Amino acid sequence: MKKTDATHSAEVLDALLGGLETNLPGTRPDLADEATVFGAHLSPLLSRLPEAEPPEGLFDAIEAELDGQGTAPFQSVRAEEGVWEQRTDKVWKKVLAEETRSGRTMYLLRCLPGASIKPHIHERAEHLFILEGELWIDGKLYSAGDAQVAKPGSVHPEITMPAGCLVLVSA
């Protein structure tokens, strides 16, 4: 049985606007009223669109991309994207990229003044690049623009950040 144009339009609008009234991450419940008005303006246009089947494999390609298994040669994270995760009371971490095969991760550490990181052993090489501020490792001061590489199996002594810093880490 063929759907009527009105039924088709209602289904499309519901798919586009249906999740706005929930508190799902990434949604904007505060825009629900505006979305309803927008939907009312779209409805006459949608009623003129013919039904169409998506190309074969489209949903699988979308799922693969969402799962991070897409075939795109580049992965980008914009400054406003990603999640800052609190690691200690004064240290925050934001993952920029993860390679599941190698286990390597690239991330930012935002360390507030007075932060410290306890001594730890490196399973793999770790590259640090100080973007802002400064930190102390084993009595040596590292400032913005400085870098350090810790070899696999090395023990990092305590790291202190009296003035705070932003560090790019690849481990």
Side-chain angles (χ1 to χ4, degrees), residues 12 21-22 27 46 49 57 71 83 99 129 158 160 164:
V12 171
E21 295 182 35
T22 65
T27 62
L46 290 173
L49 293 176
T71 58
V83 176
E99 293 179 8
F129 184 79
E158 181 178 37
T160 59

Side-chain angles (χ1 to χ4, degrees), residues 113-124:
S116 65
I117 297 175
K118 295 178 182 181
H120 54 279
I121 299 173
H122 293 280
E123 294 179 21
R124 63 181 59 86

Side-chain angles (χ1 to χ4, degrees), residues 112-143:
L112 301 178
S116 65
I117 297 175
K118 295 178 182 181
H120 54 279
I121 299 173
H122 293 280
E123 294 179 21
R124 63 181 59 86
E126 176 186 83
H127 303 253
L128 301 177
F129 184 79
I130 294 78
L131 299 168
E132 297 173 0
E134 57 187 36
L135 55 83
W136 289 84
I137 304 173
D138 203 23
K140 295 178 185 162
L141 175 64
Y142 294 86
S143 301

Side-chain angles (χ1 to χ4, degrees), residues 83-94 112:
V83 176
W84 284 98
E85 182 180 306
Q86 191 167 12
R87 305 300 291 177
T88 69
D89 63 331
K90 295 183 180 185
V91 177
W92 295 79
K93 177 181 179 179
K94 178 180 175 180
L112 301 178

Side-chain angles (χ1 to χ4, degrees), residues 16-32:
L16 290 172
L17 307 174
L20 289 174
E21 295 182 35
T22 65
N23 275 334
L24 297 173
T27 62
R28 296 281 311 269
D30 57 308
L31 297 177

